[in-house]
Amino acid sequence: MTDEPSPATKVVAAGRRREWTGGIVNTPVWRASTILYDDVAQLRAAAGRDTHHRLFYGRRGTPTQWSLADALTELEPGAEGTFLYPSGVAAIAATLLAILSPGDELLLPDSAYDPTRSLATGLLKRMGITTRFYDPMIGGGIAALIGERTRAIFLESPGSLTFEVQDVPAIVAAAKARGVATVLDNTWATPLLFPAMAHGIDYAVLAGTKYVVGHSDVMLGAVTAAPGRFARLRDTSFQLGQVVSPDDAWLGSRGLRTMALRLKQHGAAALEIARWLETRDEVAQVLHPGLPSCPGHEVWRRDFRGSSGLFSFVLDGGDEASRAALIDALHHFGIGYSWGGFESLALPVDPARYRTVTTPDFAGPLVRLQIGLEEPADLIADLERGLAAFRAARDRG
Ligand SMILES: *Cc1c(COP(=O)(O)O)cnc(C)c1O
């Protein structure tokens, strides 16, 4: 059999090696700091060897972390390896620190996740690494921005809060032509909906906190690297002392087993609700990559295998108070940060606060929705209630 199994099949079996599981189904939690050796000769030999998949010291991981890392590598055909981090932001920071040195320049989309921007304008700037923000819809036009000092192009597709879908193949082609590394924040799609390595990306970042964990109870990050890129990422991450606890890695592996199934439900329900919102007078625009009204929708159709459960919508007029009236009227949506768990969430978002090179012109304030695993009809009824509260507050003035 040479056929590549489908992602739903892979997430079930990936990373489960008999020498790590001992014959039970799940790789157990191997907790460790000290690893004991039989004698001094063995201790000395261990220190000189590559510690990949070898017990050495707790900070280098145990089979519990290796199992999850390997599973994530298996989901990205063509990848060399994966390193785990205690959060998505830690994963982004380690990747950029692995690539960039003082004097280098980073290109960052204006739609990037806010903490990614803060890293660029904070720590990286302090280290003498400059950042140029670019229009996420730039496509192949990125070639004109690549200068002598440009060492990395960061991508996030779709973008945080506003969901612009980037032309990854066009940007990757421009980067490869100039020997520039590409880093993609693939948290929204995961490798199941957008295989990053197959699209030529060098480093694919996942905030595992979201869909991998899937239950809103663990912080986790991961970076999967293309061939030739893993060693430097791993060395840098070791030097930074990055390690994920085996308990959290175990919860990540547990979440991964149902990720394909959950994504299917999140995706279908979110699309149904996004389409319903489009029909409402109170809504000026729905920013969901699967809808033609979203910038980059055609690119999404070309490159993605589906959509996940996070999108935004723009209200038709109104202000901070009428938007709050909408969100406060919801019963089934929690109010809080993060996403990717089983519970629906609603969040007021203000992208204009962060943007520096592109200022999308929206008709009203934005609400971001994470669609969970509740029955979509219940969520729609809830949103109907919320929109009525919004309308009343808006029209009162
Ligand atoms: C949440 C998020 C992150 C950061 O993940 P944490 O685990 O919360 O640090 C990175 N990128 C995107 C797009 C996210 O939504």
Side-chain angles (χ1 to χ4, degrees):
M1 258 190 27
T2 55
D3 287 4
E4 183 86 11
S6 74
T9 303
K10 278 192 189 175
V11 296
V12 169
R16 289 167 44 200
R17 291 197 192 182
R18 199 178 165 88
E19 70 259 38
W20 297 340
T21 61
I24 60 175
V25 174
N26 288 321
T27 308
V29 178
W30 294 56
R31 280 202 200 87
S33 57
T34 298
I35 308 297
L36 295 172
Y37 300 93
D38 291 340
D39 51 36
V40 171
Q42 202 187 59
L43 176 114
R44 295 264 190 249
R49 276 205 216 108
D50 184 352
T51 58
H52 189 60
H53 291 175
R54 281 179 206 273
L55 287 171
F56 174 69
Y57 177 52
R59 196 175 346 95
R60 300 279 175 103
T62 67
T64 316
Q65 293 102 326
W66 305 337
S67 176
L68 175 59
D70 271 23
L72 294 173
T73 304
E74 283 179 53
L75 296 182
E76 281 282 5
E80 180 179 348
T82 298
F83 202 96
L84 303 179
Y85 300 88
S87 72
V89 166
I92 292 166
T95 308
L96 293 177
L97 289 171
I99 303 168
L100 299 165
S101 300
D104 290 345
E105 182 185 67
L106 166 70
L107 301 182
L108 192 62
D110 211 18
S111 52
Y113 182 60
D114 179 38
T116 308
R117 293 185 77 108
S118 301
L119 170 69
T121 57
L123 178 65
L124 297 185
K125 182 175 178 216
R126 192 149 58 72
M127 290 175 56
I129 296 159
T130 54
T131 297
R132 237 172 126 174
F133 287 93
Y134 69 89
D135 180 346
M137 302 307 292
I138 198 167
I142 195 103
L145 299 187
I146 299 174
E148 284 306 305
R149 298 191 300 112
T150 309
R151 188 63 48 92
I153 301 175
F154 196 94
L155 303 92
E156 185 184 325
S157 183
S160 275
L161 313 185
T162 42
F163 297 89
E164 296 92 338
V165 184
Q166 296 199 260
D167 191 339
V168 173
I171 294 173
V172 163
K176 285 198 189 303
R178 299 287 296 276
V180 174
T182 50
V183 182
L184 171 69
D185 184 332
N186 201 26
T187 302
W188 184 87
T190 81
L192 271 52
L193 304 181
F194 186 86
M197 296 295 120
H199 283 90
I201 290 290
D202 296 317
Y203 300 91
V205 177
L206 276 184
T209 308
K210 314 294 169 51
Y211 288 124
V212 174
V213 167
H215 293 73
S216 309
D217 47 11
V218 179
M219 301 298 299
L220 188 70
V223 180
T224 300
R229 306 278 183 178
F230 184 61
R232 181 150 170 161
L233 176 73
R234 192 171 53 134
D235 289 348
T236 303
S237 303
F238 282 159
Q239 286 161 23
L240 288 167
Q242 291 291 18
V243 62
V244 168
S245 84
D247 302 75
D248 288 348
W250 184 85
L251 282 163
S253 288
R254 169 170 268 234
L256 189 69
R257 304 302 169 209
T258 57
M259 187 168 81
L261 178 68
R262 286 184 285 107
L263 270 179
K264 213 183 266 185
Q265 176 62 22
H266 285 298
L271 198 54
E272 180 182 340
I273 291 164
R275 289 198 174 116
W276 178 81
L277 283 167
E278 261 194 328
T279 68
R280 300 290 307 201
D281 287 344
E282 302 90 344
V283 175
Q285 191 183 354
V286 180
L287 301 170
H288 182 301
L291 298 180
S293 53
C294 188
H297 168 70
E298 289 307 321
V299 170
W300 173 82
R301 281 175 64 111
R302 186 191 68 194
D303 295 344
F304 285 63
R305 293 176 177 163
S307 51
S308 64
L310 191 79
F311 67 95
S312 293
F313 64 94
V314 183
L315 288 161
D316 188 19
D319 57 10
E320 178 75 37
S322 47
R323 174 174 63 179
L326 188 169
I327 294 172
D328 289 344
L330 302 173
H331 297 166
H332 298 304
F333 289 80
I335 303 170
Y337 295 109
S338 203
W339 49 280
F342 51 79
E343 182 191 47
S344 290
L345 299 170
L347 194 70
V349 295
D350 300 293
R353 269 192 210 167
Y354 312 110
R355 299 264 178 156
T356 48
V357 295
T358 50
T359 39
D361 190 19
F362 293 125
L366 272 71
V367 176
R368 192 186 76 179
L369 297 180
Q370 123 84 8
I371 302 302
L373 302 178
E374 304 88 345
E375 179 63 38
D378 292 333
L379 299 177
I380 287 174
D382 210 16
L383 287 165
E384 191 147 23
R385 183 169 32 236
L387 290 173
F390 162 73
R391 206 168 48 236
R394 180 193 62 187
D395 297 346
R396 229 184 289 125

mmCIF file of all heavy atoms in Angstrom, residues 106 108 114-127 129-133 354 356:
data_model
loop_
_atom_site.group_PDB
_atom_site.id
_atom_site.type_symbol
_atom_site.label_atom_id
_atom_site.label_comp_id
_atom_site.label_asym_id
_atom_site.label_seq_id
_atom_site.Cartn_x
_atom_site.Cartn_y
_atom_site.Cartn_z
ATOM 1 N N LEU A 106 12.701 41.414 9.308
ATOM 2 C CA LEU A 106 11.562 40.498 9.267
ATOM 3 C C LEU A 106 10.409 41.201 8.556
ATOM 4 O O LEU A 106 10.157 42.375 8.797
ATOM 5 C CB LEU A 106 11.158 40.165 10.711
ATOM 6 C CG LEU A 106 9.800 39.494 10.954
ATOM 7 C CD1 LEU A 106 9.823 38.055 10.432
ATOM 8 C CD2 LEU A 106 9.443 39.520 12.438
ATOM 9 N N LEU A 108 6.370 41.150 8.272
ATOM 10 C CA LEU A 108 5.257 40.661 9.093
ATOM 11 C C LEU A 108 3.935 41.222 8.556
ATOM 12 O O LEU A 108 3.838 42.425 8.332
ATOM 13 C CB LEU A 108 5.487 41.119 10.539
ATOM 14 C CG LEU A 108 4.649 40.535 11.655
ATOM 15 C CD1 LEU A 108 4.854 39.023 11.777
ATOM 16 C CD2 LEU A 108 5.014 41.197 12.992
ATOM 17 N N ASP A 114 -1.760 39.847 17.561
ATOM 18 C CA ASP A 114 -1.156 40.979 18.266
ATOM 19 C C ASP A 114 0.119 40.630 19.057
ATOM 20 O O ASP A 114 1.109 41.360 18.993
ATOM 21 C CB ASP A 114 -2.207 41.644 19.154
ATOM 22 C CG ASP A 114 -1.630 42.810 19.932
ATOM 23 O OD1 ASP A 114 -0.806 43.536 19.360
ATOM 24 O OD2 ASP A 114 -1.988 42.977 21.111
ATOM 25 N N PRO A 115 0.149 39.521 19.819
ATOM 26 C CA PRO A 115 1.405 39.198 20.524
ATOM 27 C C PRO A 115 2.595 38.941 19.588
ATOM 28 O O PRO A 115 3.748 39.154 19.987
ATOM 29 C CB PRO A 115 1.043 37.944 21.332
ATOM 30 C CG PRO A 115 -0.438 38.067 21.555
ATOM 31 C CD PRO A 115 -0.955 38.642 20.268
ATOM 32 N N THR A 116 2.327 38.528 18.350
ATOM 33 C CA THR A 116 3.416 38.374 17.373
ATOM 34 C C THR A 116 3.971 39.752 17.015
ATOM 35 O O THR A 116 5.192 39.952 16.927
ATOM 36 C CB THR A 116 2.917 37.645 16.105
ATOM 37 O OG1 THR A 116 2.276 36.440 16.493
ATOM 38 C CG2 THR A 116 4.066 37.339 15.161
ATOM 39 N N ARG A 117 3.082 40.708 16.844
ATOM 40 C CA ARG A 117 3.516 42.094 16.595
ATOM 41 C C ARG A 117 4.349 42.607 17.768
ATOM 42 O O ARG A 117 5.384 43.247 17.569
ATOM 43 C CB ARG A 117 2.301 43.023 16.454
ATOM 44 C CG ARG A 117 1.440 42.810 15.256
ATOM 45 C CD ARG A 117 0.358 43.882 15.210
ATOM 46 N NE ARG A 117 0.908 45.137 14.732
ATOM 47 C CZ ARG A 117 0.658 45.660 13.528
ATOM 48 N NH1 ARG A 117 -0.151 45.043 12.695
ATOM 49 N NH2 ARG A 117 1.202 46.792 13.168
ATOM 50 N N SER A 118 3.863 42.324 18.990
ATOM 51 C CA SER A 118 4.569 42.816 20.181
ATOM 52 C C SER A 118 5.970 42.237 20.275
ATOM 53 O O SER A 118 6.904 42.914 20.703
ATOM 54 C CB SER A 118 3.792 42.463 21.447
ATOM 55 O OG SER A 118 2.512 43.023 21.401
ATOM 56 N N LEU A 119 6.113 40.974 19.899
ATOM 57 C CA LEU A 119 7.439 40.339 19.890
ATOM 58 C C LEU A 119 8.360 41.086 18.917
ATOM 59 O O LEU A 119 9.511 41.400 19.234
ATOM 60 C CB LEU A 119 7.298 38.865 19.473
ATOM 61 C CG LEU A 119 8.579 38.107 19.171
ATOM 62 C CD1 LEU A 119 9.387 37.882 20.443
ATOM 63 C CD2 LEU A 119 8.240 36.761 18.521
ATOM 64 N N ALA A 120 7.822 41.401 17.736
ATOM 65 C CA ALA A 120 8.625 42.075 16.717
ATOM 66 C C ALA A 120 9.012 43.480 17.144
ATOM 67 O O ALA A 120 10.168 43.896 16.993
ATOM 68 C CB ALA A 120 7.853 42.111 15.391
ATOM 69 N N THR A 121 8.058 44.209 17.705
ATOM 70 C CA THR A 121 8.325 45.610 18.045
ATOM 71 C C THR A 121 8.957 45.745 19.434
ATOM 72 O O THR A 121 9.376 46.837 19.815
ATOM 73 C CB THR A 121 7.014 46.445 17.990
ATOM 74 O OG1 THR A 121 6.055 45.848 18.873
ATOM 75 C CG2 THR A 121 6.441 46.457 16.586
ATOM 76 N N GLY A 122 9.011 44.642 20.184
ATOM 77 C CA GLY A 122 9.616 44.651 21.507
ATOM 78 C C GLY A 122 10.971 43.974 21.513
ATOM 79 O O GLY A 122 11.985 44.564 21.136
ATOM 80 N N LEU A 123 10.992 42.702 21.878
ATOM 81 C CA LEU A 123 12.251 41.957 22.020
ATOM 82 C C LEU A 123 13.109 41.980 20.748
ATOM 83 O O LEU A 123 14.317 42.247 20.810
ATOM 84 C CB LEU A 123 11.947 40.499 22.411
ATOM 85 C CG LEU A 123 13.156 39.581 22.546
ATOM 86 C CD1 LEU A 123 14.061 40.006 23.691
ATOM 87 C CD2 LEU A 123 12.710 38.125 22.752
ATOM 88 N N LEU A 124 12.489 41.703 19.587
ATOM 89 C CA LEU A 124 13.299 41.646 18.356
ATOM 90 C C LEU A 124 13.915 43.005 18.044
ATOM 91 O O LEU A 124 15.082 43.096 17.654
ATOM 92 C CB LEU A 124 12.452 41.133 17.179
ATOM 93 C CG LEU A 124 11.911 39.704 17.297
ATOM 94 C CD1 LEU A 124 11.197 39.295 16.017
ATOM 95 C CD2 LEU A 124 13.018 38.696 17.619
ATOM 96 N N LYS A 125 13.118 44.054 18.229
ATOM 97 C CA LYS A 125 13.630 45.402 17.953
ATOM 98 C C LYS A 125 14.814 45.707 18.879
ATOM 99 O O LYS A 125 15.834 46.245 18.453
ATOM 100 C CB LYS A 125 12.511 46.418 18.161
ATOM 101 C CG LYS A 125 12.936 47.828 17.850
ATOM 102 C CD LYS A 125 11.779 48.799 17.942
ATOM 103 C CE LYS A 125 12.283 50.207 17.661
ATOM 104 N NZ LYS A 125 11.596 51.186 18.483
ATOM 105 N N ARG A 126 14.657 45.329 20.151
ATOM 106 C CA ARG A 126 15.717 45.578 21.136
ATOM 107 C C ARG A 126 17.009 44.853 20.759
ATOM 108 O O ARG A 126 18.109 45.286 21.095
ATOM 109 C CB ARG A 126 15.211 45.119 22.511
ATOM 110 C CG ARG A 126 16.038 45.536 23.670
ATOM 111 C CD ARG A 126 15.191 45.728 24.926
ATOM 112 N NE ARG A 126 14.449 44.538 25.324
ATOM 113 C CZ ARG A 126 14.990 43.449 25.853
ATOM 114 N NH1 ARG A 126 16.289 43.366 26.006
ATOM 115 N NH2 ARG A 126 14.244 42.424 26.197
ATOM 116 N N MET A 127 16.848 43.720 20.054
ATOM 117 C CA MET A 127 18.028 42.951 19.624
ATOM 118 C C MET A 127 18.608 43.460 18.306
ATOM 119 O O MET A 127 19.514 42.830 17.744
ATOM 120 C CB MET A 127 17.647 41.481 19.460
ATOM 121 C CG MET A 127 17.354 40.791 20.781
ATOM 122 S SD MET A 127 16.782 39.116 20.475
ATOM 123 C CE MET A 127 18.147 38.489 19.497
ATOM 124 N N ILE A 129 16.853 43.751 15.446
ATOM 125 C CA ILE A 129 16.171 43.129 14.295
ATOM 126 C C ILE A 129 14.998 44.038 13.938
ATOM 127 O O ILE A 129 14.169 44.347 14.791
ATOM 128 C CB ILE A 129 15.666 41.717 14.667
ATOM 129 C CG1 ILE A 129 16.857 40.805 14.971
ATOM 130 C CG2 ILE A 129 14.793 41.142 13.552
ATOM 131 C CD1 ILE A 129 16.506 39.588 15.815
ATOM 132 N N THR A 130 14.950 44.482 12.689
ATOM 133 C CA THR A 130 13.886 45.404 12.302
ATOM 134 C C THR A 130 12.728 44.638 11.653
ATOM 135 O O THR A 130 12.922 43.560 11.094
ATOM 136 C CB THR A 130 14.399 46.477 11.318
ATOM 137 O OG1 THR A 130 15.012 45.802 10.213
ATOM 138 C CG2 THR A 130 15.406 47.388 11.983
ATOM 139 N N THR A 131 11.545 45.217 11.728
ATOM 140 C CA THR A 131 10.353 44.590 11.146
ATOM 141 C C THR A 131 9.680 45.556 10.199
ATOM 142 O O THR A 131 9.509 46.738 10.515
ATOM 143 C CB THR A 131 9.360 44.187 12.257
ATOM 144 O OG1 THR A 131 9.972 43.209 13.084
ATOM 145 C CG2 THR A 131 8.076 43.617 11.661
ATOM 146 N N ARG A 132 9.313 45.030 9.028
ATOM 147 C CA ARG A 132 8.526 45.813 8.079
ATOM 148 C C ARG A 132 7.172 45.145 7.990
ATOM 149 O O ARG A 132 7.093 43.947 7.678
ATOM 150 C CB ARG A 132 9.194 45.731 6.709
ATOM 151 C CG ARG A 132 9.532 47.083 6.153
ATOM 152 C CD ARG A 132 10.340 46.909 4.915
ATOM 153 N NE ARG A 132 9.693 47.636 3.849
ATOM 154 C CZ ARG A 132 10.222 47.778 2.654
ATOM 155 N NH1 ARG A 132 11.368 47.205 2.352
ATOM 156 N NH2 ARG A 132 9.588 48.473 1.743
ATOM 157 N N PHE A 133 6.122 45.874 8.286
ATOM 158 C CA PHE A 133 4.775 45.311 8.181
ATOM 159 C C PHE A 133 4.308 45.412 6.731
ATOM 160 O O PHE A 133 4.630 46.369 6.037
ATOM 161 C CB PHE A 133 3.817 46.064 9.112
ATOM 162 C CG PHE A 133 4.058 45.722 10.561
ATOM 163 C CD1 PHE A 133 4.903 46.486 11.338
ATOM 164 C CD2 PHE A 133 3.454 44.610 11.119
ATOM 165 C CE1 PHE A 133 5.142 46.162 12.675
ATOM 166 C CE2 PHE A 133 3.685 44.266 12.450
ATOM 167 C CZ PHE A 133 4.528 45.045 13.224
ATOM 168 N N TYR A 354 -4.371 47.976 16.056
ATOM 169 C CA TYR A 354 -3.040 47.389 15.856
ATOM 170 C C TYR A 354 -2.425 47.728 14.515
ATOM 171 O O TYR A 354 -1.226 47.737 14.364
ATOM 172 C CB TYR A 354 -3.115 45.861 15.990
ATOM 173 C CG TYR A 354 -3.878 45.407 17.208
ATOM 174 C CD1 TYR A 354 -5.127 44.798 17.091
ATOM 175 C CD2 TYR A 354 -3.342 45.619 18.484
ATOM 176 C CE1 TYR A 354 -5.826 44.402 18.221
ATOM 177 C CE2 TYR A 354 -4.040 45.227 19.614
ATOM 178 C CZ TYR A 354 -5.280 44.608 19.482
ATOM 179 O OH TYR A 354 -5.973 44.226 20.589
ATOM 180 N N THR A 356 -0.879 49.143 11.097
ATOM 181 C CA THR A 356 -0.031 50.300 10.803
ATOM 182 C C THR A 356 0.101 50.585 9.315
ATOM 183 O O THR A 356 0.378 51.710 8.935
ATOM 184 C CB THR A 356 1.380 50.121 11.417
ATOM 185 O OG1 THR A 356 1.858 48.824 11.080
ATOM 186 C CG2 THR A 356 1.348 50.262 12.940
#
